[in-house]
Amino acid sequence: MNDEAHDVLRADPVMAGLLDRHDPYVEPDWSEYERLCISIINQQLSTASAAAVRERVFEVLDGEVTPESVLAADDEAIRDAGLFRRKIEYVRNAARAFRENDYSRTGLASHSDGEVVDLLTEITGIGEWTARMYLLFVLERPDVLPLGDLAVRRGIEQLYADGEELTRAEMREIAEPWRPYRSVATRYIWAEYESD
């Protein structure tokens, strides 16, 4: 984290406490397509369930998670690993899209966050949450606040409202002082949420 992000986040006393308590949530070095597949697998699953399914699916693919390997994989083997028919369709839709277009950091560098979300959500099976995970983890955009993520919402409620329910507008207001480093703040909220 750069010094400016550190200073901006430390101005919020709650966030300052998170900075002292945690290293932020850090991802392994997945390829762009692997990370998108992980987000698709994670849709509507608990963290533990998603990790188990991901591990089994990646094992079926011999650790080679590419558009080519996903398109060539046996449906039954992927289903047996825990991926339902619809999600198999989604990872394959993403595979075809990745073969046709450049969704890499370089390929999307000139696109705004909103444009990236629009491009990705044109792929059947990619919703706004998945697109925001892509902005945050793959493109490493600095100012993403994924309020579609249950852990982020629960984390904000625990930290700023003693667990009481907040509206998304209230959460956006809480997060306003974190600009332009809401992605960094999000990683600390995940680290706190996952430590409970």
Side-chain angles (χ1 to χ4, degrees):
M1 175 171 49
N2 67 41
D3 289 343
E4 186 180 334
H6 190 265
D7 293 345
V8 167
L9 295 180
R10 280 211 174 274
D12 175 335
V14 173
M15 194 56 62
L18 295 185
L19 284 145
D20 292 338
R21 285 196 300 278
H22 300 287
D23 286 327
Y25 180 90
V26 177
E27 286 257 310
D29 192 21
W30 307 110
S31 74
E32 287 96 338
Y33 179 70
E34 280 177 311
R35 188 59 184 85
L36 189 59
C37 284
I38 290 165
S39 290
I40 292 169
I41 290 168
N42 289 355
Q43 291 170 359
Q44 299 176 337
L45 288 179
S46 71
T47 304
S49 296
V53 171
R54 181 192 72 228
E55 193 173 302
R56 291 193 305 266
V57 169
F58 281 27
E59 202 172 283
V60 166
L61 299 169
D62 294 323
E64 292 293 321
V65 184
T66 64
E68 292 71 27
S69 70
V70 167
L71 290 169
D74 179 67
D75 276 10
E76 193 172 328
I78 296 178
R79 260 197 313 276
D80 288 348
L83 208 58
F84 296 116
R85 184 184 55 78
R86 182 160 296 191
K87 285 193 181 181
I88 294 170
E89 180 186 324
Y90 293 168
V91 295
R92 288 194 169 145
N93 289 341
R96 285 186 280 275
F98 265 68
R99 284 170 54 172
E100 293 169 13
N101 298 294
D102 184 359
Y103 293 101
S104 69
R105 286 181 188 95
T106 308
L108 295 173
S110 65
H111 291 77
S112 71
D113 291 356
E115 289 168 342
V116 171
V117 169
D118 290 344
L119 282 170
L120 288 172
T121 54
E122 287 175 6
I123 304 167
T124 302
I126 309 295
E128 190 163 325
W129 176 84
T130 304
R132 292 202 176 282
M133 294 299 105
Y134 198 81
L135 283 170
L136 205 145
F137 290 115
V138 175
L139 303 182
E140 297 179 339
R141 297 290 174 94
D143 198 35
V144 179
L145 181 67
L147 293 180
D149 188 85
L150 182 63
V152 172
R153 291 196 313 274
R154 294 291 177 267
I156 291 172
E157 287 169 347
Q158 286 171 2
L159 290 162
Y160 291 87
D162 291 323
E164 295 294 316
E165 194 171 321
L166 294 170
T167 66
R168 290 189 191 203
E170 288 169 324
M171 291 181 200
R172 277 190 285 277
E173 191 175 318
I174 288 165
E176 192 60 30
W178 308 337
R179 283 182 183 273
Y181 301 108
R182 293 181 300 175
S183 296
V184 178
T186 294
R187 289 173 184 259
Y188 279 97
I189 290 165
W190 269 319
E192 175 78 1
Y193 185 79
E194 291 182 356
S195 72
D196 287 346

